[in-house]
Each structure stands twice: as C-alpha cells, then as structure tokens.
Amino acid sequence: MSSTDPTKSAGLPEYPFEEDSSREANPTRRGLHRIGVAVSRRGNLLSAIVASLIVAFYGVSLAIVAVDGHPMSWLDEHVHFDTAVKLHDGRLSYQGALYEQEVIDEWTCGVGHQAGPLEHGCGDARLDSSDITSGTYTTGYIHYPTYFLGAEAFRAIVGSHGPYGIDTYRLFSAVLMTLGVAACGVFAWFLGQKRLGLIAAVAVPSAATSMTVMGEMVTPNSTTLLAGALIAGTGLLWIKRGKGFVWLALAAAFASVNVVIASLPVAAFLFLIAWELVFRRRRPSPSGPGCITARWWQLLVLGAIVVLPVFIWGRYIAATATRTAAEVYGPYQMSGWRNVAVGAVQELTSLHTPWTEWSAGLIAGPTTLAVIGRIAAAGVPVAITILVFGALVCALLRMDLTGGPRVGGRGPWTNIHTTALGAIIAIITYPVALRISNALTYGVDYPVVARYSITFAPILVLLVLLLAPSRGYRALLIVVGLIGTLGAVAVWI
C-alpha cells in the first residue's frame, strides 16, 4: 500500500476548512477569488436593498390604508376599539362591560361597520349598546391590555387622528405588522439567508389578506407576526449557535403577554427540548454550534412563560366579572359535549394554515392595476400553503430538496428537522386543544379560525429556507409571495 496521501497528491487541502495555500502562489486564482468575493458581496447588498424596498412598500401601503377611513372590520374591530377607548379613559374591560358611546358613535356617525348600520341612526336618542348586533356586552375583556397600552403610548406620541381616534390605533397596527415583516428579514440574514433566501423571508410570511388586514384595523392580532418572527428567529439562532436560550425565553414572554395565540410557535421548541431529553438521554449530549444541549429547566421555563399569563388573566376575569359567560356569549354557548367532540375532530382534520384569503378585507382600489393586484393576491394563499408545507413534509421524509447531489445517502437528522416536525404537529393539534379549552373555560363552542395561525408564518418560512435551499424553489416562493404580499396592499396605486 502506498503511503502517499491522496488528498495531497491531488493538490487538495488536507482538511475541508484548511486554507488552500496554492491560492497565494497563483496570482490568477487569487484574482478570481477576489472577484468572486466582490460579486458575492454585491449580490448580498442588492438582495438587502430589494428586501428593504419590499418592507418599505408594504409599510407605506398599510399606513395609507389604515388612515383612509374605511368601515370597521367584521373581525371584531369594534370590540378591540372599545377596549382601546376604555383604556384611554383609564379603565380595563371586564366580563359584563357595555360598549362605550364612542364605539357606537364611530359605528353610526363615523367610519361605519362592514356589518351595516345599526337599528337606530346617528343622533337618535334611543341609540345605545343594545343596538350592537354582536351583543350588548363586549368580549374584549379576554385580551391582555398589552397591545392597548402600546397603542395608547403611540397615540400620545403621534396625536389623535379622526373624530374618535380610530385611525391612530389602526396606524399603530400597521407599524406592528411592518415590524413583523422586517423582523423576518433580519433574522433570516442572521441565519445566513442571503440573496434569494433573504428576499423570500420578507415576501412570503405576510402573503395573505387574512393577516395583512390585521395591519389596517384595531386588533391585538397585529402583534402576532412580530411575535412569531421573534420566537422563530431567536429559537433558530439558539440552535445554530448552540447558545442564546435567554433570547428565546424573552421572545416567548413578549408573545405570551400580548395575545394568547401569539406564543403558539413556542410549542415547536418545547417539542425539540422534549425530544432531546427523551430520545438522547442515553447518548452523549451534543454541544457547540448547530445543536442544543437540552435541559429540563428550559422546558419548565418556556412552559411557565406560556401558561402563567393565561392563568393570571383568567383570575382577573373571574374576579371582575359582573355577568356570566352564558349572558355574554349567548348563542355561542356549547350545546353538549357531543358537539364539542365533533368540532374537535373537525379541527384536527382541517389544516389551519396561516395563509388564507379574507374577501372582505383590503378591498381593491379604483384603478385597474389595483384590481388586478387584489384579484391575483386572492389565489396566492393556496399556492403558498402548498409550497411551504409541501417542502417541509418532503424535507422531513428526507427527499432531496437541496438542488444538488446527495452526499452519503440521506443527510443527518438535525435539530432543525425536529423543530420543523414540532411546528407541524403544533399547527395541527393546537386548534383541537383551543376548541376544548374554550368549552371548559368559557362554555363556548365555536370553530377555531385560521387567522389564529398567523404567528406560525415566520417559523414555517424560515424553516423551509433552512431545509430547502434550492434556488429554483426560492425563486418560485418569491414570485408567489410578492404577488400575495404586494398585490393585497397596493390598493392605492
């Protein structure tokens, strides 16, 4: 057997990350290397500029729509506006509270409502909260005051716009949604996603009217995209770097004190930690970049962050209630556990994708271009759902989505794969848990709407970019994503 090292005889570096000294000895190769680096940097800079322009266009468009005086949304906007008005006067909503006069006036004398006029018109002496078609008592008490406190601070800074201030609160929602899209891009960059990956990271997460509409109405759900991006980004960076769990915990805390559903993506990382603790307890603990060292206390900390706000706010609701849940919710009361069980099966077999069409939201502008953009955006959610979930399933089944040859057969199962599996399991099972929880807590049996899944959009997109790096696939994602994201908001062009 020859003792000659084949790698050295072939002129290759001995180790994969060893610097190739032949480059220094060859001026031509050194020059080509410098040109390649320069081109790569320019490509990265160009993609960053394009991504920034997408975010800017999205933000400006949302802001324009937010202050155009459109009617209040079917999606409980009058409920959230009522909570904002109460907090503006220094009061918290509670179970049994009536709607404020400002809300009734906004409905009848101001921007109106998509549900149409009330029984008694503007200025009618008989007009009161009993005219509100959704019920006499507000259900806004179920939401934490966090978003509304932020909205009040925003109102104090920018001033009040519109007769009753609703435009200001809507503008605050537009800012939050824009920050969510921007955060997706920032975390994608830190995760090593450049060029097509970076553009896809800002083009795809918000590519549906069901979530974009949250940026032009008063609703705490406008925080969900930002919360989802913070959870996804800090969690995936924790995996990539092997450190930084505290940032994931802080992101989870931000989400959990804003909206209950905003913390749902934490379930993917809870699944990862549990997986590592259960299935790797007999193996040496992995460490260093690219993997985590799971600890029981991490599982407990994240679990407590998610559960404690629900428990504490539940105690507040019970302590301040002046009416029973049956009186507040009326027709939405559960009619028996058989129906709850049937509903739970329905939730389990329905994919609650973050990307759905909301036909009553973001109505197209008067120009032909705006109408074309809105119509085109209506079909995008189905395509985005297929592309994202399809790629994740293929990656978990170990199909080749790398765009290149396989190396040694199937690649290793990584922490990223486990997180993706946890995210899919969470998005399938949380509607069942929520439906049963609502029945137990409030005695309400009502279908779980797909918009509750908005907070999953960032983690699903970032995961698919990490697991499916094919250029062709990313280019397709960008095209479809831009149609959905920009087509929906470009109502003013």
Side-chain angles (χ1 to χ4, degrees):
M1 182 185 297
S2 172
S3 60
T4 305
D5 188 335
T7 59
K8 291 183 178 180
S9 63
L12 300 175
E14 185 175 358
Y15 301 105
F17 300 107
E18 182 181 2
E19 192 68 33
D20 187 358
S21 60
S22 62
R23 183 182 297 147
E24 298 180 2
N26 189 326
T28 302
R29 291 186 63 184
R30 186 169 65 249
L32 291 174
H33 173 69
R34 289 177 177 174
I35 293 174
V37 170
V39 171
S40 178
R41 288 177 177 173
R42 289 179 181 177
N44 292 340
L45 177 61
L46 179 61
S47 66
I49 293 174
V50 171
S52 299
L53 289 175
I54 293 172
V55 174
F57 184 89
Y58 181 82
V60 170
S61 299
L62 270 188
I64 291 174
V65 177
V67 298
D68 69 357
H70 57 273
M72 286 187 282
S73 173
W74 282 99
L75 304 180
D76 297 334
E77 186 173 14
H78 68 286
V79 177
H80 307 310
F81 181 49
D82 178 78
T83 304
V85 171
K86 283 181 169 62
L87 194 61
H88 180 68
D89 293 336
R91 295 175 286 114
L92 288 177
S93 189
Y94 57 90
Q95 183 173 307
L98 300 175
Y99 286 98
E100 298 296 312
Q101 188 61 41
E102 288 93 332
V103 177
I104 301 172
D105 291 341
E106 187 69 86
W107 191 319
T108 56
C109 309
V111 298
H113 198 288
Q114 289 179 341
L118 299 178
E119 181 179 355
H120 301 107
C122 179
D124 194 315
R126 296 168 295 176
L127 182 66
D128 59 23
S129 61
S130 63
D131 287 292
I132 300 293
T133 53
S134 61
T136 302
Y137 304 105
T138 177
T139 57
Y141 64 87
I142 66 173
H143 295 288
Y144 306 137
T146 319
Y147 160 82
F148 303 98
L149 288 170
E152 197 56 39
F154 183 80
R155 180 175 179 175
I157 294 172
V158 305
S160 182
H161 300 276
Y164 308 102
I166 193 170
D167 286 353
T168 305
Y169 297 126
R170 286 173 168 178
L171 188 60
F172 178 62
S173 293
V175 171
L176 289 175
M177 285 295 294
T178 305
L179 288 175
V181 174
C184 290
V186 171
F187 282 114
W189 179 275
F190 284 120
L191 287 166
Q193 299 300 309
K194 308 294 171 64
R195 299 193 177 188
L196 294 181
L198 178 61
I199 298 173
V202 298
V204 178
S206 60
T209 53
S210 60
M211 64 177 71
T212 299
V213 72
M214 300 300 166
E216 51 94 13
M217 60 180 285
V218 186
T219 174
N221 286 329
S222 60
T223 65
T224 51
L225 193 67
L226 175 59
L230 292 174
I231 292 170
T234 55
L236 293 174
L237 283 174
W238 170 48
I239 295 173
K240 177 183 178 180
R241 298 172 177 175
K243 59 182 180 180
F245 173 81
V246 64
W247 294 110
L248 171 59
L250 290 174
F254 171 82
S256 64
V257 299
N258 272 286
V259 188
V260 173
I261 58 174
S263 60
L264 287 173
V266 175
F269 298 102
L270 288 171
F271 181 84
L272 169 63
I273 297 171
W275 177 286
E276 291 294 310
L277 290 171
V278 172
F279 292 104
R280 302 201 177 217
R281 65 180 185 272
R282 295 182 179 179
R283 305 178 189 176
S285 297
S287 61
C291 55
I292 65 166
T293 302
R295 297 286 185 264
W296 284 106
W297 65 265
Q298 295 170 337
L299 198 68
L300 295 174
V301 166
L302 285 183
I305 287 174
V306 172
V307 172
L308 281 179
V310 178
F311 175 80
I312 294 172
W313 193 246
R315 302 287 71 74
Y316 165 79
I317 292 174
T320 58
T322 59
R323 292 289 187 274
T324 65
E327 291 177 280
V328 173
Y329 290 100
Y332 301 116
Q333 286 292 291
M334 59 179 287
S335 56
W337 282 105
R338 176 183 179 276
N339 291 335
V340 174
V342 172
V345 174
Q346 177 189 8
E347 306 295 355
L348 183 63
T349 54
S350 303
L351 179 60
H352 292 68
T353 170
W355 298 280
T356 55
E357 162 68 3
W358 174 247
S359 58
L362 296 171
I363 306 301
T367 67
T368 301
L369 189 58
V371 173
I372 291 174
R374 181 64 185 85
I375 292 298
V380 163
V382 175
I384 290 290
T385 298
I386 293 172
L387 287 172
V388 172
F389 281 91
L392 286 177
V393 170
C394 288
L396 292 177
L397 293 177
R398 323 312 293 283
M399 297 180 182
D400 186 13
L401 292 172
T402 63
R406 294 181 183 273
V407 179
R410 297 188 306 173
W413 182 275
T414 67
N415 285 160
I416 298 297
H417 289 87
T418 306
T419 305
L421 178 60
I424 291 178
I425 291 175
I427 204 169
I428 291 174
T429 58
Y430 93 81
V432 180
L434 187 57
R435 183 105 181 222
I436 296 174
S437 174
N438 286 340
L440 291 171
T441 306
Y442 302 109
V444 173
D445 184 26
Y446 194 78
V448 175
V449 292
R451 68 177 181 271
Y452 290 170
S453 298
I454 292 175
T455 189
F456 279 100
I459 191 170
L460 293 175
V461 172
L462 291 177
L463 282 169
V464 85
L465 292 176
L466 292 172
L467 292 173
S470 166
R471 290 184 179 180
Y473 171 75
R474 293 181 177 202
L476 181 60
L477 269 182
I478 290 171
V479 172
V480 178
L482 287 177
I483 294 173
T485 298
L486 303 186
V489 297
V491 298
W492 53 275
I493 56 177

